[in-house]
Amino acid sequence: MEFTVKSGNPEKQRTACLVLGVYESRRLTLAAEQFDAACGGALGALLRRGDLEGKPGQSLLLFNVPEALCERVLLVGCGRERDLDDRRFRQILHHAATALDDTGATEAVVYLSDLAVKGRDLRWKIRQAVEAVEESRYRFDLLKSKKDAPRRPLRKIILSVPGRRELPEGEQAVREGVAIAAGVKIAKDLGNLPPNICTPTYLAEQAHALAREFPALRVAVLEEAELEQLGMGALLAVTRGSAQPAKLIRLDYGRGPEKQKPYVLAGKGVTFDTGGISLKGGEGMDEMKFDMCGAASVLGALRACAELQLPLNVIGLIPAVENMPGSRATRPGDIVTSLSGQTVEILNTDAEGRLILCDTLTYAERDDPAAVIDIATLTGACIVALGRHPHGLFSNHPPLAHALQAAGHAAADRVWELPLWEDYQEGLDSNFADMANIASHKDGGAIMAACFLSRFTKKFHWAHLDIAGTAWKTGKAKGATGRPVPLLTQYLLDRAAENEREDGRAAH
Ligand code: BES
Ligand code: MN
Ligand code: ZN
């Protein structure tokens, strides 16, 4: 889909379809009113007849509106003006895009960026509009022999801005929205692929493909022999039962000043999690193909970062493994030595994410990072604690936690912080090694997993995102969400803006 911005009055648009908002109950939005005045009150008359209440989810397609230059008008219900928040705005755009797809229009001029969304500016609305339209059009039918995609002639969406002065801002918002949506799409595609296709080797190939597309990205893939040499005993313990070779994928994006410290994104890449010898129950086990969604979000965020050419140094680290039972698999009770030198008693082989991440986090020390953020579908307990709306957030550095909260709000991809207090740590005590990989009790599972990781992050600012509840949807709408690509991209956009401000100050 192509997106552009344009200023100008709705009645002047010679387009296949004009999209206008109607509030409940039957009140025209500003743009709709303007259009209506120019067309002799046709819309007002129609609403008075009761054809559209203006409730969210409603829409009405009109042809041959008297004196209009456009071929069609799509009226979209926007609900009550004072209820118009983030969520509602996205719903409205989702509905508008779905309704547009059912028309024969090849392009549309959309006047919904003038809706007053509480606390949000034009840039936000345009970016969200792009993301919502792409979201509504996403299908994963690669592996269906009959594609269910209907005839969809819509190719171009033109988003309105109030005047010529707002064009540059609008264009930048479109660029950001397009880059984020493309990052979300690759994260969804990788998540949705079946585990017999999306293996650690496949993830490594995708990283290479991304680097071919964006020359600012460089890839290196560490193979098992190298991981062995480095001493990544915890990571290797997870892959032992699998016939698929493990990989540690590293992506380098270096468009920042040479002496600027890199931001590291580390994503859990378990391409299938059976639990290993501590085998999971059968119900819903297919969903453990999504256990690499952290890895997918790192690829998506780096793609967005490269497309936006952000002046930053960013490193993506992806430990990619398959967690399988087998005669060579790690047993409960096995003790391994992590890259940090700390020993770990593996009491449950299903707590594997923290094992691959702890070695990856220690490895990140080498790059003297500005901050390290790991992203992982780490614990079912996080879903119990927070449900499926926010990502769980943990950090050893309050300003970093704050920056992620701010980015989550700005990108409408929210986090909720959970505590990482010392009080919890003793739960990981082991009688036989430096620590156990699970707590001795059942309480606070998401926190205990984060406590485990925190023991490998003493040398840098670190945050952990537990995306177990947010990376995919279950049930009828089962599928990857592409989250937290918007959050991560926003975080990087914010860092780029912050550096720019600091450079500006330094120059004075
Ligand atoms: N990948 C799972 C976490 C998970 C489970 C995410 C269900 C989303 C839905 C992780 O590897 C795991 O198995 N965690 C265990 C940890 C436990 C053994 C301490 C869990 O959450 O049950
Ligand atoms: Mn597991
Ligand atoms: Zn897992």
Side-chain angles (χ1 to χ4, degrees):
M1 177 72 67
E2 188 190 338
F3 293 91
T4 57
V5 289
K6 191 176 188 180
S7 66
N9 298 346
E11 69 277 10
K12 303 249 174 71
Q13 306 300 326
R14 234 175 248 288
T15 176
C17 192
L18 199 63
V19 181
L20 299 169
V22 177
Y23 290 122
E24 197 176 334
S25 29
R26 298 183 227 131
R27 262 193 45 240
L28 297 175
T29 56
L30 226 58
E33 213 166 77
Q34 205 176 355
F35 176 83
D36 198 36
C39 301
L43 298 187
L46 193 132
L47 292 176
R48 277 192 298 278
R49 282 207 309 263
D51 288 81
L52 186 80
E53 193 52 36
K55 287 201 164 62
Q58 289 183 324
S59 63
L60 186 63
L61 186 64
L62 309 174
F63 295 92
N64 307 320
V65 178
E67 288 167 70
L69 294 176
C70 57
E71 293 167 20
R72 308 168 183 75
V73 175
L74 178 66
L75 295 179
V76 184
C78 297
R80 279 201 302 233
E81 190 169 8
R82 64 183 152 90
D83 294 342
L84 190 47
D85 57 5
D86 295 7
R87 194 172 123 83
R88 176 61 56 78
F89 184 73
R90 285 160 69 111
Q91 278 171 351
I92 293 167
L93 272 124
H94 198 98
H95 282 128
T98 311
L100 269 176
D101 255 338
D102 290 338
T103 73
T106 52
E107 59 143 63
V109 184
V110 179
Y111 281 83
L112 296 172
S113 19
D114 65 341
L115 296 174
V117 184
K118 273 178 242 159
R120 299 299 195 177
D121 59 9
L122 180 70
R123 183 166 170 177
W124 185 90
K125 288 183 282 185
I126 293 201
R127 193 209 278 182
Q128 287 292 325
V130 172
E131 290 179 43
V133 169
E134 290 294 358
E135 168 89 31
S136 77
R137 295 171 64 84
Y138 181 82
R139 300 284 181 282
F140 186 76
D141 54 12
L142 189 70
L143 301 168
K144 294 205 184 210
S145 47
K146 288 195 194 68
K147 312 290 175 210
D148 51 18
R151 175 189 70 108
R152 291 198 294 180
L154 189 67
R155 277 199 306 271
K156 185 173 179 184
I157 288 189
I158 301 150
L159 297 159
S160 70
V161 296
R164 299 177 70 91
R165 254 189 339 140
E166 285 87 8
L167 282 173
E169 181 187 348
E171 279 158 9
Q172 179 58 20
V174 164
R175 270 194 291 277
E176 290 172 1
V178 165
I180 291 171
V184 164
K185 181 177 175 354
I186 68 164
K188 282 183 181 173
D189 283 345
L190 286 170
N192 288 333
L193 278 170
N196 58 329
I197 294 178
C198 185
T199 59
T201 304
Y202 184 88
L203 283 178
E205 280 164 9
Q206 292 312 298
H208 277 296
L210 202 58
R212 277 194 297 276
E213 196 180 343
F214 295 95
L217 284 171
R218 279 205 325 271
V219 197
V221 177
L222 305 189
E223 305 290 338
E224 279 183 11
E226 291 160 281
L227 303 179
E228 201 106 41
Q229 244 168 15
L230 283 166
M232 293 199 174
L235 189 160
L236 288 165
V238 179
T239 191
R240 291 177 57 89
S242 173
Q244 296 291 337
K247 314 270 174 185
L248 179 59
I249 305 162
R250 178 190 172 113
L251 283 141
D252 273 278
Y253 172 83
R255 278 181 144 269
E258 207 175 317
K259 49 181 200 310
Q260 201 166 86
K261 292 182 175 189
Y263 295 92
V264 174
L265 304 179
K268 173 178 173 183
V270 175
T271 62
F272 195 72
D273 181 13
T274 64
I277 297 296
S278 314
L279 194 62
K280 286 182 181 298
E283 199 189 333
M285 206 205 272
D286 65 292
E287 295 190 6
M288 283 299 111
K289 73 172 182 176
F290 295 117
D291 214 14
M292 36 55 69
C293 283
S297 76
V298 171
L299 291 172
L302 276 167
R303 192 198 184 283
C305 181
E307 183 167 334
L308 292 169
Q309 306 190 340
L310 298 185
L312 294 173
N313 298 322
V314 186
I315 298 172
L317 295 177
I318 297 174
V321 302
E322 187 183 54
N323 187 22
M324 297 289 273
S327 62
R328 293 170 197 269
T330 294
R331 297 151 286 252
D334 282 1
I335 295 179
V336 298
T337 304
S338 68
L339 178 61
S340 72
Q342 299 177 92
T343 57
V344 180
E345 184 185 17
I346 299 177
L347 288 174
N348 188 322
T349 64
D350 197 12
E352 84 297 342
R354 60 197 81 180
L355 294 173
I356 64 171
L357 283 169
C358 73
D359 280 349
T360 306
L361 289 167
T362 304
Y363 178 78
E365 279 175 16
R366 300 168 186 228
D367 291 293
D368 188 21
V372 179
I373 302 170
D374 79 69
I375 306 103
T377 47
L378 204 62
T379 64
C382 190
I383 313 179
V384 175
L386 296 178
R388 296 179 187 269
H389 301 293
H391 315 295
L393 167 68
F394 301 84
S395 179
N396 64 7
H397 187 59
L400 175 57
H402 188 255
L404 284 163
Q405 285 163 333
H409 174 70
D413 186 9
R414 288 176 296 180
V415 300
W416 194 262
E417 190 175 11
L418 293 167
L420 248 190
W421 301 325
E422 259 327 286
D423 312 54
Y424 292 101
Q425 289 286 352
E426 64 179 11
L428 293 173
D429 287 350
S430 157
N431 287 356
F432 307 107
D434 296 343
M435 68 192 88
N437 78 324
I438 56 165
S440 52
H441 52 71
K442 289 201 160 63
D443 311 335
I447 298 172
M448 296 315 296
C451 280
F452 180 91
L453 294 178
S454 74
R455 296 176 177 219
F456 302 83
T457 62
K458 301 287 184 208
K459 299 203 177 131
F460 44 73
H461 297 154
W462 161 74
H464 159 56
L465 295 170
D466 194 330
I467 60 168
T470 51
W472 73 91
K473 291 184 180 147
T474 62
K476 191 84 183 72
K478 191 189 288 182
T481 60
R483 293 179 65 191
V485 170
L487 163 68
L488 297 171
T489 309
Q490 183 67 50
Y491 173 79
L492 295 173
L493 275 163
D494 292 346
R495 301 290 73 72
E498 184 180 78
N499 290 344
E500 207 163 274
R501 279 198 302 276
E502 277 163 17
D503 286 355
R505 268 204 298 280
H508 284 284

